[in-house]
């Protein structure tokens, strides 16, 4: 059985490497960003996060989800104008010379690298390298300069439901296929995908996931996830443009971008 498991993981790793190396197998999605149709790491077999539509009320949100469990809300805001502003050509034209701060994609990220946004898109924005550790992988998410990017954020409409006594703070990011942030936790918040698809893995506060904080989410997905018993599997789902995921306070979560993804989070604090 152990031999079979090792062979299976090796095969999966080879398939992912071949898929991520073949740039010709990527197609452009509506924003000019790359859409990956060929990676073996795709959406989950069954989403285990409840989905609600825009008919959900604030009282329902507070009673059923705010302090208890994640929820995906569809169509609760219209961010079509913001999405248009996040097209690849538009962002490069407007913010190409602006500096963005990249963080390492490991659970405890300390290293920061500042590069012009156009340089990030042209030289750093690529599929995840299977051989790279999280500490060696640079990721653009958060650390946004609100003076330079403020005009863009003004066009974003956040989810209307806030927790009592909190205010929202934005973190905007763009990342390549196969990239993601390993397991970590913090306060409550929302995440919305503007372009691409983002797969989420979540555990409640009392259930610490098994993971190596210096490995990438992709390596965890290929090496650890297939061996988890059913009872140890995370709550999981893939969100697409127009969907907002809410996660409660102190819930463990990791993300995996299935395509080149443009996304924005609203942290409630």
């Amino acid at each position: 059985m152990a031999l079979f498991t090792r062979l299976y993981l090796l095969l999966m790793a080879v398939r992912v490497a071949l898929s991520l190396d073949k740039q010709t197998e990527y197609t452009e999605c509506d924003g000019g960003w790359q859409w990956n149709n060929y990676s073996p790491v795709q959406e989950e077999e069954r989403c285990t996060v409840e989905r609600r539509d825009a008919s959900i009320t604030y009282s329902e949100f507070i009673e059923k989800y705010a302090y208890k469990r994640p929820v995906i809300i569809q169509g609760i805001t219209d961010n079509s104008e913001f999405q248009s502003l996040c097209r690849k050509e538009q962002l490069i034209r407007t913010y190409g010379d602006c500096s963005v701060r990249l963080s390492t994609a490991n659970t405890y990220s300390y290293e920061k690298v500042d590069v012009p946004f156009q340089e990030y898109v042209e030289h750093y924005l690529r599929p995840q390298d299977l051989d790279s550790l999280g500490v060696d992988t640079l990721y653009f998410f958060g650390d946004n300069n609100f003076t330079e990017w403020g005009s863009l954020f003004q066009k974003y409409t956040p989810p209307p439901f806030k927790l009592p006594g909190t205010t929202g703070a934005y973190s905007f990011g763009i990342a390549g296929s196969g990239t993601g942030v390993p397991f970590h936790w913090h306060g409550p918040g929302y995440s919305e995908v503007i372009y691409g698809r983002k797969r989420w893995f979540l555990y409640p506060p009392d259930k610490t996931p098994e993971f190596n904080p210096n490995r990438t989410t992709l390596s965890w997905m290929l090496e650890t996830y297939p061996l988890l018993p059913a009872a140890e599997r995370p709550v999981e789902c893939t969100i697409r443009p127009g969907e907002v995921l809410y996660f409660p306070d102190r819930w463990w979560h990791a993300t995996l971008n299935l395509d080149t993804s443009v996304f924005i989070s609203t942290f409630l604090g």
Side-chain angles (χ1 to χ4, degrees):
M1 182 65 180
L3 177 60
F4 173 79
T5 299
R6 288 196 296 271
L7 289 174
Y8 169 79
L9 295 177
L10 178 61
L11 177 61
M12 288 295 291
V14 171
R15 290 178 64 194
V16 172
L18 290 174
S19 176
L20 296 183
D21 285 342
K22 292 181 180 178
Q23 296 298 317
T24 57
E25 292 185 345
Y26 286 80
T27 57
E28 285 192 358
C29 67
D30 288 342
W33 305 102
Q34 289 181 330
W35 180 275
N36 184 3
N37 294 313
Y38 294 90
S39 172
V41 182
Q42 292 291 347
E43 299 183 23
E44 66 290 330
E45 293 182 2
R46 184 175 68 89
C47 173
T48 52
V49 180
E50 185 177 358
R51 275 187 164 92
R52 298 293 304 269
D53 61 25
S55 66
I56 184 175
T57 64
Y58 179 66
S59 60
E60 283 183 293
F61 171 76
I62 292 295
E63 178 184 354
K64 296 182 178 180
Y65 309 106
Y67 306 102
K68 297 179 180 179
R69 61 183 188 272
V71 63
I72 297 170
I73 308 175
Q74 301 168 310
I76 196 170
T77 56
D78 179 6
N79 276 304
S80 54
E81 181 182 4
F82 181 79
Q83 185 185 54
S84 178
L85 294 173
C86 290
R87 295 177 61 85
K88 182 178 179 180
E89 290 184 1
Q90 180 68 35
L91 282 181
I92 290 177
R93 183 164 54 248
T94 307
Y95 302 102
D97 294 331
C98 294
S99 179
V100 294
R101 175 157 291 183
L102 311 181
S103 303
T104 52
N106 57 326
T107 298
Y108 307 106
S109 178
Y110 300 105
E111 182 183 356
K112 307 288 184 180
V113 177
D114 294 329
V115 299
F117 176 68
Q118 184 166 354
E119 181 179 339
Y120 170 72
V121 172
E122 294 177 351
H123 300 290
Y124 291 88
L125 186 61
R126 58 173 63 95
Q128 177 67 53
D129 181 353
L130 280 172
D131 296 326
S132 296
L133 296 175
V135 72
D136 299 320
T137 302
L138 293 173
Y139 196 78
F140 172 41
F141 176 55
D143 286 326
N144 305 119
N145 185 318
F146 281 81
T147 300
E148 293 180 323
W149 293 80
S151 60
L152 177 66
F153 297 153
Q154 288 174 4
K155 300 297 184 180
Y156 177 68
T157 303
F161 302 150
K162 293 182 179 180
L163 304 186
T166 68
T167 57
Y170 297 146
S171 285
F172 177 73
I174 304 172
S177 173
T179 65
V181 178
F183 281 104
H184 63 287
W185 60 264
H186 44 66
Y190 295 96
S191 179
E192 180 169 355
V193 171
I194 307 303
Y195 287 109
R197 296 169 296 164
K198 182 182 286 286
R199 186 169 173 179
W200 281 72
F201 309 91
L202 305 106
Y203 286 96
D206 61 352
K207 194 170 185 178
T208 303
E210 177 186 345
F211 72 102
N212 182 330
N214 282 325
R215 299 300 300 273
T216 63
T217 304
L218 182 60
S219 65
W220 176 87
M221 177 70 194
L222 294 173
E223 298 167 6
T224 302
Y225 178 89
L227 306 180
L228 292 175
E232 300 299 319
R233 287 288 176 97
V235 175
E236 59 182 309
C237 205
T238 298
I239 59 173
R240 293 168 170 267
E243 297 183 323
V244 178
L245 172 73
Y246 169 78
F247 50 89
D249 186 31
R250 300 177 70 89
W251 271 65
W252 289 94
H253 54 279
T255 60
L256 182 65
N257 297 296
L258 301 183
D259 315 294
T260 300
S261 298
V262 181
F263 48 94
I264 185 168
S265 292
T266 305
F267 295 114
L268 303 176

